Structures are given as structure tokens and as C-alpha cells.
């Protein structure tokens, strides 16, 4: 079974509108962290936002926020007021068993290609 | 801003040749990761190190790939002999230890490898 599932291969949004990119995850570990990265066409991987499994509040970072629904095992990325520069591939990733656990690896989803239209 | 530095950025070589990719992690980061990105498989973890010791290289084809950290400022990934199926973008990332588990891994710009 895939640990990270991103069901939207591609998404389109109009400039200045908000968009939600879906991510569901699968883990039996109570301690985990979820990360979102952006990969523009130039190829670099840019960290956007983090949500820990014990965090009480949804994470926010500027125009990025996480809609974290723990019971549903989903951590959707919300981008508000989309800009043309937001056009990129977006990856959801999970780290399991931190804080004393042995696994420090990130497992990535397949990504969602977001296109922002003017 | 501190960055992970990877060299070379691009590499084109013929099948059978040795390929060496280098990575300079961010100063103070004690974990280093090697990932491979292809269209078919996405991002795959090849190997990672903590305090220069290899912790997991289960994602790496052992017969032709090797990863080392000769010192804290240099990680290398070698392919010998290279094959066309090794064509991919190889990323190095670095991060802090488990006690900073909410901190992200920081990625280099990648090495785009083409094996002819």
C-alpha cells in the first residue's frame, strides 16, 4: 500500500483564487510529520510547510496552510490568492517515528502539477 | 541563505562509464540523503547517513551504486558501471537529527544524469 497518496495528477486554478491540493497518508505510527515541497520547472525542491501529528493547530505559512484531518489521515495543502509563480509540481511527504524512533526517512507522494492561469 | 551544493548540475556520459556525484551538506546538518527522481518512479530514497555513518541504503542497487561520506562536508554517490536506466535527476538533501524531527530536509538543485 502506498504511504502517501496524491490523487490529483494535475490541477488548474485562476490567478488570485485559492486551491486545495490533496494528500492522504497511511501509517500506524502515532508519531509522524507531514511536509509539503514545491518543485518548479527549474527543478529545485523547496520546502513549504510542516504539520506534526501532535500539533493541535493547522499549520500556516504565509499563503500556505494545511488542512490537517487526523482521523481521515489527510493533510491537504491550501494555497490562497494563487500567483503565476505558484505553477509547479507539489509533493506531500511523511516522516514516521521521530522523537526517538529510528526512521528519519521521508516518503514522497507522486506529486500534483499545479497550473495557475492568468 | 545556507544551501546544499551538488556537483555537477548536469552529466552526460556513455554506458559503462563511472559517474561520481558530489554533495556538500549545509554546515551543521548531521543527516544526508540521496534521492533519485524519475517520471515513472517519482522520488525514491537511495541512501542516508547520520553523523557520516550509513543508516540505510536499501533503496540503492548494490551491485553498481555506492554512497560514502569521506568527511562531514562531502557526500558522494558513485555509479559504476553506469547504464541507460540510471538516467534520472539525483538529489542530495541534508537535515538535522531526530531531535529536530519537525525540521525539513533541505535539497540541493540536483544532478541531471543522462547515460547514453
Amino acid at each position: 500500500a502506498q504511504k502517501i497518496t496524491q490523487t490529483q495528477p494535475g490541477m488548474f486554478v485562476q490567478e488570485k483564487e485559492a486551491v486545495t491540493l490533496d494528500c492522504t497518508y497511511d501509517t500506524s505510527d502515532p508519531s509522524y510529520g507531514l511536509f509539503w515541497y514545491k518543485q518548479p520547472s527549474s527543478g529545485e525542491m523547496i520546502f513549504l510547510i510542516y504539520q506534526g501529528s501532535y500539533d493541535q493547530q493547522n499549520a500556516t505559512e504565509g499563503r500556505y496552510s494545511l488542512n490537517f484531518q487526523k482521523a481521515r489521515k489527510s493533510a491537504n495543502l491550501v494555497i490562497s490568492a494563487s500567483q503565476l509563480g505558484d505553477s509547479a509540481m507539489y509533493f506531500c511527504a511523511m516522516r514516521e517515528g521521530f522523537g526517538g524512533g529510528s526512521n528519519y526517512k521521508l516518503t514522497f507522494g507522486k506529486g500534483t502539477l499545479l497550473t495557475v492561469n492568468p | 541563505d545556507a544551501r546544499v551544493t551538488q556537483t555537477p548540475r548536469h552529466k552526460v556520459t556513455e554506458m559503462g562509464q563511472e559517474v561520481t556525484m558530489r554533495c556538500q551538506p549545509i554546515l551543521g546538518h548531521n543527516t544526508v540523503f540521496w534521492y533519485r527522481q524519475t517520471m515513472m518512479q517519482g522520488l525514491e530514497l537511495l541512501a542516508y547517513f547520520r553523523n557520516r555513518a550509513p543508516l540505510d541504503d536499501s533503496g540503492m542497487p548494490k551491485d553498481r551504486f555506492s554512497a560514502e561520506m569521506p568527511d562531514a562536508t562531502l557526500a558522494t554517490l558513485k555509479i559504476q558501471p553506469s547504464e541507460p536506466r540510471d538516467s534520472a535527476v539525483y538529489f542530495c538533501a541534508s537535515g538535522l537529527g531526530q531531535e529536530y524531527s519537525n525540521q525539513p530536509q533541505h535539497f540541493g538543485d540536483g544532478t541531471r544524469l543522462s547515460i547514453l
Side-chain angles (χ1 to χ4, degrees):
Chain A
Q2 287 193 26
K3 288 197 175 238
I4 296 287
T5 302
Q6 295 181 253
T7 57
Q8 307 151 314
M11 287 282 286
F12 293 88
V13 66
Q14 287 298 120
E15 195 177 7
K16 300 179 185 176
E17 291 185 352
V19 64
T20 298
L21 307 183
D22 294 343
C23 173
T24 57
Y25 57 91
D26 181 27
T27 181
S28 57
D29 199 310
S31 298
Y32 55 89
L34 297 155
F35 300 79
W36 278 90
Y37 285 83
K38 172 185 178 182
Q39 186 176 39
S41 58
S42 50
E44 69 269 32
M45 293 285 287
I46 303 166
F47 165 70
L48 296 177
I49 196 167
Y50 165 84
Q51 180 83 44
S53 59
Y54 296 117
D55 293 345
Q56 295 297 311
Q57 305 280 345
N58 284 344
T60 61
E61 194 69 50
R63 293 186 299 110
Y64 304 108
S65 61
L66 257 172
N67 182 2
F68 181 47
Q69 298 186 47
K70 194 170 180 178
R72 297 181 60 186
K73 294 188 175 179
S74 73
N76 299 338
L77 176 70
V78 180
I79 305 175
S80 63
S82 298
Q83 302 172 356
L84 296 178
D86 294 334
S87 293
M89 184 73 87
Y90 288 81
F91 292 96
C92 180
M94 178 172 63
R95 174 187 295 154
E96 298 172 274
F98 53 83
S102 61
N103 191 340
Y104 193 62
K105 300 185 288 188
L106 282 181
T107 303
F108 284 84
K110 296 293 187 185
T112 296
L113 181 62
L114 176 66
T115 302
V116 180
N117 294 317
Chain B
D1 281 344
R3 295 175 60 86
V4 175
T5 303
Q6 286 188 249
T7 56
R9 290 295 312 278
H10 303 272
K11 177 75 174 178
V12 181
T13 192
E14 292 186 346
M15 181 174 63
Q17 297 297 305
E18 178 178 298
V19 174
T20 298
M21 291 168 273
R22 294 178 174 80
C23 168
Q24 181 177 8
I26 292 172
L27 188 64
H29 283 186
N30 64 347
T31 53
V32 174
F33 305 81
W34 284 103
Y35 292 90
R36 177 170 63 185
Q37 185 178 33
T38 61
M39 288 294 292
M40 292 299 295
Q41 300 297 327
L43 271 159
E44 305 172 279
L45 179 68
L46 297 176
Y48 79 99
F49 296 77
R50 188 178 184 203
N51 295 325
R52 295 175 54 201
L55 287 193
D56 188 345
D57 61 2
S58 59
M60 204 163 64
K62 300 291 192 306
D63 55 338
R64 299 182 299 107
F65 284 61
S66 62
E68 296 180 343
M69 276 202 76
D71 62 60
T73 65
L74 177 63
T76 62
L77 180 66
K78 292 186 180 181
I79 309 174
Q80 169 63 22
S82 57
E83 296 181 3
R85 60 179 167 152
D86 301 330
S87 297
V89 180
Y90 291 81
F91 285 103
C92 175
S94 72
L96 297 170
Q98 285 175 297
E99 58 273 23
Y100 301 98
S101 51
N102 63 338
Q103 296 299 305
Q105 295 176 16
H106 296 268
F107 283 72
D109 289 339
T111 294
R112 188 174 296 274
L113 178 65
S114 296
I115 308 297
L116 306 177

